Amino acid sequence: MKLLGWWLMLVGTLRLASVWFGFFDIWALRLAVFSKTTMTEIHGRTFGVWTLLTCTLCFLCAFNLDNKPLYLATFLSFIYAFGHFLGEYLIYETMAIGNLTTVGIFADTNITGTFMHSSSTSRSFLLIMQVGVMLLASRNSR
């Protein structure tokens, strides 16, 4: 198995903790992610199901890195997740910058890893996107 496959297995396994928090311990999820808002049990379960879906994509992709549609779906799940958290911080103000930074480190690593495994055209897009995200984050942290 390629390094990216092992990484995706690790990410999927770590996401299982978020699934647990979403279903059974929303206090921990609120503390670790959405620290600037209240969460109900339905919010936690919805987050848990969404995270379970992305976790499943990680595991499936880890064993099928040559399956381009599955690979793209997994890659886009990282983009969508990071976009969601960025929106929660910038627009809805439900996350603290420290929580966004933690999520951002994992998201950036996942996005970079999947891009580095794909074509050079994708790498150019990645650099443009990363610079844009960093500029946006630095502008809003002032």
Side-chain angles (χ1 to χ4, degrees):
M1 182 181 291
K2 295 180 181 178
L3 181 60
L4 179 60
W6 287 107
W7 174 255
L8 289 171
M9 292 289 288
L10 175 66
V11 170
T13 303
L14 291 173
R15 286 184 174 185
L16 285 175
S18 292
V19 172
W20 174 267
F21 294 144
F23 282 102
F24 303 110
D25 192 1
I26 63 168
W27 179 84
L29 183 61
R30 181 178 184 269
L31 184 66
V33 182
F34 301 105
S35 61
K36 295 177 74 177
T37 190
T38 58
M39 286 189 69
T40 65
E41 291 181 5
I42 188 72
H43 294 126
R45 290 189 301 271
T46 302
F47 184 86
V49 169
W50 169 55
T51 305
L52 184 60
L53 177 61
T54 62
C55 174
T56 303
L57 282 172
C58 285
F59 287 127
L60 289 172
C61 188
F63 291 103
N64 298 286
L65 289 173
D66 295 327
N67 183 325
K68 290 183 181 184
L70 181 59
Y71 188 88
L72 179 62
T74 305
F75 170 74
L76 289 174
S77 77
F78 297 141
I79 298 290
Y80 299 157
F82 187 62
H84 165 75
F85 290 121
L86 200 58
E88 290 296 326
Y89 174 73
L90 296 173
I91 299 167
Y92 304 109
E93 300 177 358
T94 59
M95 293 181 74
I97 187 65
N99 296 354
L100 178 65
T101 302
T102 302
V103 169
I105 289 169
F106 276 98
D108 186 51
T109 304
N110 293 331
I111 292 166
T112 302
T114 53
F115 259 31
M116 297 310 283
H117 186 266
S118 64
S119 71
S120 60
T121 303
S122 299
R123 289 185 199 133
S124 300
F125 176 74
L126 170 68
L127 291 174
I128 292 168
M129 187 182 74
Q130 285 180 324
V131 169
V133 167
M134 287 188 292
L135 289 174
L136 187 61
S138 67
R139 184 180 123 227
N140 288 309
S141 65
R142 292 181 218 162

